[in-house]
Amino acid sequence: MSNDHGHGDKPFLAHHFEDEDHQFDSGKLGIWVFLVTEILFFSGLFCAYAIYRSMHPEVFVFASTALDTKWGAINTCVLLFSSLTAAWAVRNAQLGQNKRLIMNLALTILCAFGFMGIKYIEYKHKFHVGLKPGTYYAPTDEAYPGHAGLKAQTVAFVAEEGQGQEHGAGEVQVPAAAEHPAGEVTQHGAEGEAHAKGHGAPWNDPTVPVEVRERLKIFFGIYFCMTGLHGIHVLLGIVVFGWLLTRAIRGHFTPSYYGPVDFSALYWHIVDLIWIYLFPLLYLIH
Amino acid sequence: MTAMLTNLFQVAVLALAPLGAASGSASPSFAAEAPTIQEAGATTEQGAGASAPTEAAATPAPMDDGLDPNRVAPHLPEFAVEVSDGTFWLPVAASETAKDVDATFHFIMWINYVFTALILVLLVIFVVKYRRRPGVVADQSITHNTPIEIIWSVLPTILVAVIFWQGYVTFLDLRTAPKGTLDIRVSAYTWGWNFTYPDGTMVPQKLAVPQGRPVRFLMSSQDTLHSMHLPAFRQKQDVLPDRVTMVWFPTDRAGTYRIYCSEYCGKDHSNMYAKLEILPQAEFDVWWGINSNPRNDENGQPLPDLAYGEKLYKYFACHSCHTIDGAKNTGPSFQLTAKDWGAERALADGSTTLIDEDYIRRSILNPQSQIVKDYGPQMPVFNYLDAEQIHSLTLFIKQIAQN
Amino acid sequence: MAKIDLPITGRETGRVPVQHLDTNYLNVTKGALSWLLTLDHKRIGVMYLIGITSAFAIGGLAALLFRLELFNPGMQFMTHETYNQFFSIHGAVMVFLFIIPGIPAALGNMVLPLMLGAKDVAFPRLNLGSFYLWLGGAFFFLWTLIDGGLDTGWTFYTPYSSSVSSTAVIQATAGAFVLGFSSIFTGLNFIVTIHKMRPPGMTWHKLPLFLWGMYATAVIQVLATPVLGITLLMLIMERALGIGIFDPKNGGDPVMFQHFFWFYSHPAVYIMILPAMAIVSELIATFSRKHIFGYKMIAYSSVSIALLSFLVWGHHMFVSGQSALAGVIFSAITFTIAIPSAIKVFNWLATLYKGSVSLETPMLYALEFIWLFTIGGLTGLFLSVMSTDVFLHDTYFIVAHFHYVMVGGTLFAFLGGLHYWWPKMMGRMYDEKFSQAASIIAFLGFNLAFFPQFIMGSQGMPRRYADYKPDFTLYHQLSTIGTLVLGIGILMIVYALLKSLRDGRKAPANPWGGATMEWDCPSPPPHFNFEHPPHASDPYDMERVKWDDEVQGWVPVPGYQSRIQH
């Protein structure tokens, strides 16, 4: 079998490299080239975002109100912190501090799980209020806080007071309503979704212009594509860091061999960086 | 799965058939031409009464548009006309702009000829003259020659700058319509063209314009991408579903011109011909009399309902998707519709509907609202048919079962 | 693994080096797993070769069948739907499974480390990963064939592909998506290898032109392919979920798809042609026994073509509805790519001048390439000029143009490279006369197949037509006959190469007299290629090797000092 681990006393130095520095330099160039491809990969979506937002700015501003800035901000902090622990892990590896390396790798993974957990909360809520991608888009009254449909506004006014949370409106028992969600004729039976779970009437706020209402689903298409793709990259990062953690526990990394930690941390920084662009572009547009 | 494998198998077997067979018939499921079901009095908008063949998937009535019908392969769509008077490379140039574009074309062609010949000649000379011979050694000193390198960089640059500029200027001519055009709205769909004159008269698959005034097509698509290709005018423009695009052409040269669709749009992309006639005013008036009202036969007399329905079946290209002999095609065969008249028909969303006059009417005006089970949402919207047309078509469909 | 006495190259000792190895990378370990889990770039190259040849067979068969259908007007044995499937599958399989991976995967993998005197590429496991991604993409395409086929054309234009077609669009685009990653990782690997694993003395200006070409190609692979990836991903989302980016019914814009698609696909055509040109540079130099003319110009033109290629995608869209201003910019920049390509052709001709030319099979392919690429490139002028493109777009003129550059260009150069490096890869010589005849037959068949298409295109015949008017019959018939002749030529080529594996003479280390480093190791190379990288010298210094009758090959001249400084 040709899985050659080359130079005897250096089990992780591949046979086709002259020395560990050579291997590290090559790996470094390799990961940077890969990160350039990642930027280009996301660029298509950023481009789509830019084009549609410049064509319909009011749509994006309005749709953004459905996103909870609080969770987005927490996620940003979580990822920033995880980038810190990842960079710290590299330093630990360089200095041969294996215990701290393990701790920092574990923290990074924990933060990544935290990020995914918060994403789960956000997505779950969106689906709850009918903000789904593509033909499944069928917003209910609670989808856009402050812009609930007339029926729910009336009921909320009568039944509740001081309900500041967006989840609050969902607990009001609004009678199930019409077949077709606002402005959408779909082939996939989204009509039933809104009242099947008893989460409110379809959204039809007449104060919002029709052209805006009908275009909101584009925002959510882009939102789910961008955050979804980003989320997949976070999951992949969890797998990569899990692998690093296993190797660190086995003591593979030394001050002369820590390339994988370095390169994976770089990948993680890019994932973080992409989120740092996504957050304001999606959550903070006013 | 089986469809694809069956096709592969069919192809493999039939590929052994003699290649020279210029077959006029196709498999029954491909019915590009409109089979007629009445012998006598068959009228088509092409006019004069040559008798129509009686078998189903057979050749349509020969065209009578001044061209020898035997010049047109009978299995090909009736709207594709012969072309003539071209040169080796190019079809006839029917406008001044076309001639300007041709001048650029020929200039580029000469660049092609000269450089191809030059490179070929040099190649052959060098390969022969410097062929490997014992005792002869290659001259290793020749790796640069700055003067020659400059010449062969600068000269092509100048040439391409010239053709770039020519191309840009003539492009602007193609894309800038003059004032005072006759504006015709064009609606493309799978798989046909509707031409609407300024007064609202709509004629499908063909149009005529009087000589003199330049014409502008304002085009959009009802469904997917198409492209208006007018070779005689060197014009082409994609036809889009969310925009209006434009081509224009002058009408100085009378004649009949072929229009193609040149953006792949699905099954019958290669059947989407349309016919453009540029006619002197007097002849145009005659054409208008016959064609502006599809109800009129070639003598200008209104057709009775049933005959009108039969004519409309081809006129609106229903025949490209709905057969009348029961064969399966893009849409349900009218024979089945006729046979099941009065019964329930299963729809794609699980519900059923009664086959009656109103069902036909709904299918024509809003086809997407009731797609039949096992079929797709491909029927264009024919919401411009009037009540008489719908009624006549309904009669036509109903009586298929009676024959 | 047995320790092998590694051959010492003749450069250092002046002895005639080991020519042929009976125990080499092909047989040093045995068993399917030793191949499927190999990290040896040479074995990966061989596996790719088998894969892409199979893909070529499928794509070629599809073409043959629909060209038979097109022999006469009217439909003989296909329906319109079947025809649409065949041309789509032909395009998708040929572009994504054969021609884009083609030269980098099958020849680049084999030769690149050898030309650098290296033991392997920078990331061998990634290399194997690239191969399995290729297989994965191929699997998706097979699934497509079984599960409804594809009838959108290889370009997947919306809204037909996103909302209308009922074929297996998602599987096909997923296949192309996976293949994109194969391409990206191969490019990444090559960039790092060329940057970091050059032997002592090989400065950038001593890099063989094949490697300059592979480098420029790798840059495009890495920068352009991710955009295809995201475009196809969005198309899949559009089709599966109705997202609404490209379909006007859902608020999207179909022309935007075209922009995204061609942003990748135009640079992709340079992924196809730059390696081909790189091979031709090697062949012309070796078989003229002469230093390549204008080395720096050729090297720099490769990189500049790679970079400029990102700026011209709109020349596929002059009639799509994009603005005239955008059109004029794209048209102008397109010409800036034409000039470096022309300069390369002149440089090759100048290399022949006062050379010592022999016409073995690889050289035949190189010369045929020059003819075919000249025609393909010059006909491209019609298409970059805006007004002539208006009436030529989407006609057979375009089909002829791109087949001249992709088949006449890339395929013929690929065959030339394959025949050039075959003795190195397999350790066998093929029957020279038979292979020369096959090459000429293929060349004649190709011209007969595609030249008439120029004429019918300029006469107005649109492309992707299952059927046509009788006035085009003669051109279609000539084209179909040419296709059959081309097919025969290709069968002969494959036969000759396969036969050589059993009956061919054992190959010497340097059968052609090349001066690049891969000829310094035996044919076939041992598993490790070189114990230490040889010291680099000018890769086109042909006088550093001389013919040796005894080994029937070229050997290094003992004590050679280069006379000429370049």
Side-chain angles (χ1 to χ4, degrees):
Chain A
M1 168 98 137
S2 334
N3 194 355
D4 193 326
H5 286 295
H7 316 236
D9 60 327
K10 297 175 186 161
F12 301 114
L13 177 57
H15 76 283
H16 55 282
F17 290 119
E18 288 158 27
D19 53 36
E20 284 164 323
D21 280 339
H22 191 205
Q23 178 170 277
F24 184 82
D25 281 342
S26 303
K28 195 85 167 179
L29 178 61
I31 191 71
W32 274 111
V33 173
F34 176 67
L35 295 183
V36 167
T37 70
E38 288 281 56
I39 304 269
L40 282 161
F41 192 51
F42 276 91
S43 70
L45 286 172
F46 278 99
C47 211
Y49 172 95
I51 292 175
Y52 282 113
R53 183 169 169 191
S54 68
M55 282 177 7
H56 305 292
E58 71 289 353
V59 172
F60 273 54
V61 169
F62 185 83
S64 177
T65 61
L67 303 179
D68 191 345
T69 310
K70 174 190 77 191
W71 287 123
I74 293 176
N75 256 350
T76 308
C77 295
V78 165
L79 272 188
L80 276 171
F81 181 69
S82 73
S83 259
L84 174 65
T85 54
W88 210 333
V90 177
R91 190 79 187 123
N92 293 141
Q94 282 174 331
L95 296 176
Q97 299 161 336
N98 208 47
K99 282 205 172 42
R100 294 189 202 176
L101 168 64
I102 291 173
M103 182 189 74
N104 276 313
L105 288 176
L107 274 176
T108 310
I109 296 174
L110 236 56
C111 290
F113 271 114
F115 179 90
M116 293 311 295
I118 293 176
K119 269 250 99 43
Y120 172 74
I121 293 174
E122 287 189 277
Y123 275 24
K124 183 155 172 254
H125 171 72
K126 298 253 169 359
F127 281 34
H128 181 98
V129 297
L131 290 174
K132 302 183 194 180
T135 46
Y136 302 97
Y137 174 79
T140 65
D141 276 338
E142 309 91 46
Y144 299 101
H147 291 277
L150 275 181
K151 200 172 256 178
Q153 279 175 348
T154 316
V155 174
F157 174 74
V158 166
E160 315 286 334
E161 297 228 8
Q163 284 281 356
Q165 301 168 346
E166 61 190 325
H167 288 279
E171 279 138 39
V172 174
Q173 286 309 307
V174 181
E179 293 298 305
H180 293 289
E184 296 299 324
V185 175
T186 72
Q187 289 185 8
H188 292 275
E191 309 91 335
E193 303 274 23
H195 66 257
K197 295 178 188 156
H199 293 311
W203 178 71
N204 57 354
D205 185 348
T207 63
V208 179
V210 168
E211 322 79 70
V212 173
R213 256 189 282 152
E214 280 170 4
R215 293 203 169 102
L216 288 167
K217 68 178 270 201
I218 301 178
F219 175 87
F220 286 99
I222 293 180
Y223 169 80
F224 280 108
C225 277
M226 291 180 98
T227 57
L229 189 62
H230 180 261
I232 290 174
H233 281 80
V234 172
L235 282 173
L236 291 172
I238 292 176
V239 171
V240 167
F241 273 83
W243 168 71
L244 282 180
L245 185 61
T246 321
R247 295 190 70 184
I249 292 172
R250 290 193 197 149
H252 287 185
F253 301 121
T254 66
S256 58
Y257 174 71
Y258 59 92
V261 185
D262 191 299
F263 310 148
S264 306
L266 274 174
Y267 167 78
W268 192 247
H269 294 321
I270 286 280
V271 171
D272 185 17
L273 186 68
I274 289 172
W275 176 260
I276 288 176
Y277 276 90
L278 281 186
F279 173 60
L281 286 178
L282 292 171
Y283 289 75
L284 299 181
I285 40 185
H286 293 300
Chain B
M1 153 168 191
T2 51
M4 190 62 192
L5 287 177
T6 310
N7 277 328
L8 274 172
F9 178 69
Q10 264 180 336
V11 152
V13 166
L14 292 170
L16 300 174
L19 295 177
S23 157
S25 69
S27 63
S29 64
F30 164 52
E33 67 282 8
T36 55
I37 58 160
Q38 289 177 341
E39 278 192 71
T43 50
T44 68
E45 65 272 32
Q46 283 80 10
S51 64
T54 47
E55 328 100 76
T59 56
M63 297 161 48
D64 183 5
D65 54 356
L67 299 173
D68 175 1
N70 294 322
R71 282 170 57 196
V72 177
H75 57 275
L76 288 177
E78 57 224 79
F79 303 108
V81 297
E82 275 294 348
V83 290
S84 57
D85 297 342
T87 59
F88 180 76
W89 285 106
L90 296 166
V92 70
S95 66
E96 284 309 307
T97 311
K99 296 194 181 113
D100 291 339
V101 175
D102 287 359
T104 308
F105 180 91
H106 288 302
F107 182 55
I108 303 173
M109 192 53 85
W110 274 102
I111 295 177
N112 272 247
Y113 290 153
V114 166
F115 277 91
T116 310
L118 176 71
I119 288 169
L120 178 67
V121 163
L122 284 177
L123 193 88
V124 170
I125 291 179
F126 289 169
V127 163
V128 169
K129 184 168 178 202
Y130 301 111
R131 64 192 180 281
R132 181 88 42 99
R133 281 161 292 170
V136 178
V137 172
D139 186 339
Q140 300 296 340
S141 63
I142 304 175
T143 57
H144 288 297
N145 186 322
T146 312
I148 292 190
E149 289 185 67
I150 291 182
I151 293 177
W152 76 34
S153 305
V154 167
L155 185 63
T157 307
I158 295 175
L159 284 172
V160 302
V162 167
I163 57 180
F164 159 72
W165 185 253
Q166 270 191 316
Y168 172 56
V169 164
T170 39
F171 179 81
L172 288 181
D173 289 340
L174 286 168
R175 289 293 180 250
T176 314
K179 293 212 186 339
T181 52
L182 168 64
D183 288 348
I184 295 188
R185 275 177 295 133
V186 179
S187 177
Y189 57 91
T190 46
W191 290 279
W193 305 90
N194 287 339
F195 299 99
T196 305
Y197 289 81
D199 71 348
T201 309
M202 195 275 291
V203 182
Q205 320 314 341
K206 64 182 188 176
L207 78 159
V209 289
Q211 237 178 330
R213 213 168 142 200
V215 169
R216 194 165 63 138
F217 282 166
L218 298 169
M219 314 182 287
S220 70
S221 165
Q222 291 183 33
D223 37 53
T224 181
L225 300 180
H226 299 277
S227 190
M228 164 67 64
H229 178 41
L230 282 155
F233 300 95
R234 311 293 183 265
Q235 272 286 21
K236 183 185 286 111
Q237 177 69 273
D238 281 4
V239 179
L240 307 173
D242 57 346
R243 260 182 261 189
V244 176
T245 51
M246 184 277 289
V247 289
W248 78 274
F249 53 90
T251 55
D252 306 308
R253 186 184 185 275
T256 310
Y257 302 100
R258 190 187 285 174
I259 293 177
Y260 304 82
C261 172
S262 66
E263 183 62 58
Y264 176 69
C265 50
K267 176 173 88 118
D268 283 336
H269 167 59
S270 46
N271 256 359
M272 252 178 91
Y273 293 97
K275 182 162 91 165
L276 165 68
E277 290 180 84
I278 298 181
L279 301 168
Q281 187 66 48
E283 289 178 40
F284 174 76
D285 293 335
V286 170
W287 184 94
W288 186 258
I290 299 172
N291 290 285
S292 58
N293 185 354
R295 188 131 210 181
N296 293 343
D297 64 15
E298 75 283 4
N299 301 318
Q301 299 306 311
L303 290 165
D305 282 347
L306 187 57
Y308 186 31
E310 187 195 342
K311 177 180 176 183
L312 291 177
Y313 170 69
K314 284 171 293 169
Y315 189 79
F316 288 120
C318 314
H319 63 280
S320 64
C321 295
H322 298 277
T323 64
I324 56 174
D325 62 357
K328 194 171 193 307
N329 204 329
T330 314
S333 174
F334 285 159
Q335 189 187 77
L336 288 168
T337 309
K339 276 207 199 122
D340 293 341
W341 198 269
E344 291 286 324
R345 166 168 276 178
L347 297 181
D349 63 5
S351 60
T352 65
T353 189
L354 182 68
I355 301 180
D356 60 4
E357 283 79 356
D358 197 48
Y359 167 66
I360 305 293
R361 182 174 171 280
R362 290 197 308 272
S363 299
I364 291 174
L365 297 179
N366 189 3
Q368 307 297 329
S369 66
Q370 39 182 41
I371 298 164
V372 176
K373 187 161 177 289
D374 297 334
Y375 290 90
Q378 279 157 284
M379 180 166 163
V381 179
F382 289 93
N383 54 10
Y384 41 85
L385 265 65
D386 61 38
E388 276 185 30
Q389 291 171 326
I390 296 175
H391 171 68
S392 305
L393 273 169
T394 311
L395 279 183
F396 170 70
I397 293 172
K398 270 177 81 167
Q399 60 79 51
I400 294 173
Q402 286 148 22
N403 279 24
Chain C
M1 176 164 14
K3 176 127 185 25
I4 301 169
D5 269 326
L6 289 168
I8 301 168
T9 66
R11 290 180 200 243
E12 284 87 17
T13 66
R15 296 191 330 245
V16 173
V18 173
Q19 296 293 306
H20 181 89
L21 278 181
D22 284 323
T23 300
N24 50 60
Y25 78 96
L26 288 166
N27 52 26
V28 66
T29 54
K30 298 204 191 328
L33 273 184
S34 77
W35 278 84
L36 293 175
L37 295 177
T38 184
L39 294 179
D40 180 353
H41 66 98
K42 303 181 288 298
R43 285 193 171 189
I44 293 175
V46 171
M47 292 197 290
Y48 262 119
L49 184 62
I50 297 172
I52 65 171
T53 308
S54 314
F56 182 81
I58 294 177
L61 187 64
L64 194 62
L65 289 172
F66 73 69
R67 273 250 59 93
L68 285 175
E69 167 58 55
L70 287 171
F71 188 77
N72 275 315
M75 303 307 285
Q76 280 80 49
F77 56 87
M78 285 188 190
T79 59
H80 280 192
E81 289 103 323
T82 315
Y83 179 87
N84 293 341
Q85 294 251 8
F86 271 102
F87 83 72
S88 301
I89 287 166
H90 165 73
V93 166
M94 284 303 206
V95 168
F96 292 116
L97 281 173
F98 174 70
I99 206 168
I100 286 179
I103 296 177
L107 294 177
N109 266 317
M110 174 68 63
V111 171
L112 190 133
L114 292 174
M115 251 189 199
L116 290 173
K119 292 205 177 95
D120 211 309
V121 291
F123 307 119
R125 265 167 289 208
L126 191 65
N127 206 9
L128 186 66
S130 283
F131 175 69
Y132 279 109
L133 285 169
W134 185 92
L135 272 187
F139 162 76
F140 272 104
F141 273 101
L142 281 175
W143 184 10
T144 305
L145 287 180
I146 300 174
D147 193 26
L150 181 72
D151 73 346
T152 59
W154 80 275
T155 47
F156 300 114
Y157 273 17
T158 58
Y160 187 77
S161 62
S162 57
S163 342
V164 179
S165 173
S166 56
T167 56
V169 176
I170 292 186
Q171 288 96 312
T173 40
F177 180 81
V178 170
L179 289 165
F181 278 99
S182 172
S183 189
I184 291 173
F185 292 141
T186 299
L188 191 157
N189 229 331
F190 286 2
I191 288 177
V192 177
T193 309
I194 293 177
H195 268 278
K196 295 290 183 187
M197 294 176 69
R198 277 174 281 131
M202 191 181 277
T203 58
W204 282 94
H205 286 155
K206 285 223 175 78
L207 205 60
L209 288 171
F210 180 68
L211 297 184
W212 270 105
M214 297 311 301
Y215 183 75
T217 306
V219 167
I220 304 178
Q221 282 175 297
V222 153
L223 294 180
T225 318
V227 179
L228 178 76
I230 196 65
T231 307
L232 295 178
L233 203 58
M234 289 203 278
L235 180 60
I236 294 176
M237 292 293 113
E238 181 94 352
R239 203 169 154 86
L241 300 176
I243 295 272
I245 298 181
F246 303 127
D247 191 333
K249 286 203 211 74
N250 290 330
D253 179 14
V255 180
M256 196 158 91
F257 176 83
Q258 295 178 37
H259 280 293
F260 277 127
F261 179 83
W262 287 112
F263 185 83
Y264 163 74
S265 298
H266 187 78
V269 313
Y270 294 101
I271 296 177
M272 302 172 197
I273 199 66
L274 284 174
M277 292 171 159
I279 292 179
V280 171
S281 294
E282 298 296 331
L283 299 180
I284 299 274
T286 300
F287 290 94
S288 310
R289 309 292 327 130
K290 190 162 160 270
H291 197 287
I292 194 86
F293 187 99
Y295 170 90
K296 281 193 189 156
M297 282 307 298
I298 297 185
Y300 296 160
S301 72
S302 298
V303 178
S304 61
I305 289 173
L307 296 174
L308 286 170
S309 71
F310 283 91
L311 302 178
V312 299
W313 77 89
H315 67 222
H316 298 267
M317 297 169 61
F318 287 143
V319 299
S320 66
Q322 83 182 356
S323 70
L325 175 63
V328 79
I329 295 174
F330 285 124
S331 172
I333 302 180
T334 305
F335 287 110
T336 65
I337 300 188
I339 304 293
S341 311
I343 289 176
K344 280 196 210 246
V345 174
F346 301 140
N347 279 337
W348 292 323
L349 287 179
T351 307
L352 295 171
Y353 177 71
K354 291 203 178 163
S356 173
V357 177
S358 73
L359 291 177
E360 281 100 330
T361 309
M363 183 60 156
L364 266 189
Y365 281 110
L367 297 175
E368 289 161 355
F369 173 95
I370 292 181
W371 165 261
L372 298 170
F373 178 74
T374 296
I375 294 181
L378 286 173
T379 51
L381 290 177
F382 293 94
L383 307 174
S384 22
V385 169
M386 293 165 81
S387 57
T388 46
D389 181 72
V390 166
F391 81 93
L392 292 173
H393 178 71
D394 267 340
T395 65
Y396 262 84
F397 195 93
I398 302 260
V399 175
H401 161 74
F402 66 68
H403 281 93
Y404 261 85
V405 280
M406 294 206 297
V407 180
T410 305
L411 178 68
F412 273 70
F414 171 74
L415 290 170
L418 189 62
H419 284 79
Y420 185 55
W421 284 303
W422 186 263
K424 178 60 57 185
M425 282 164 56
M426 303 298 175
R428 300 283 181 161
M429 304 298 290
Y430 42 83
D431 182 334
E432 188 59 44
K433 287 262 171 307
F434 188 87
S435 295
Q436 284 169 319
S439 170
I440 292 174
I441 290 174
F443 174 73
L444 292 173
F446 174 84
N447 280 294
L448 184 60
F450 289 101
F451 201 85
Q453 295 188 0
F454 282 122
I455 309 172
M456 66 169 151
S458 62
Q459 289 283 356
M461 169 88 210
R463 62 184 287 207
R464 298 176 164 171
Y465 263 38
D467 197 1
Y468 54 87
K469 283 287 294 172
D471 31 296
F472 295 115
T473 308
L474 173 65
Y475 305 114
H476 275 287
Q477 293 187 331
L478 289 173
S479 185
T480 299
I481 295 172
T483 310
L484 288 166
V485 175
L486 175 62
I488 292 173
I490 290 180
L491 285 174
M492 290 173 65
I493 292 168
V494 172
Y495 171 76
L497 288 176
L498 289 177
K499 187 156 179 290
S500 77
L501 294 176
R502 207 187 42 166
D503 298 340
R505 159 173 84 88
K506 288 189 184 173
N510 193 347
W512 315 118
T516 39
M517 218 171 261
E518 75 272 23
W519 305 109
D520 283 339
C521 65
S523 303
H527 175 73
F528 278 115
N529 305 345
F530 299 94
E531 182 67 35
H532 297 290
H535 197 277
S537 58
D538 187 325
Y540 301 107
D541 191 357
M542 299 301 165
E543 295 187 327
R544 91 170 171 80
V545 293
K546 65 172 174 25
W547 178 258
D548 184 307
D549 267 329
E550 204 187 311
V551 308
Q552 285 293 299
W554 299 73
V555 299
V557 171
Y560 176 74
Q561 299 286 342
S562 172
R563 286 185 294 132
I564 296 168
Q565 271 310 312
H566 291 293

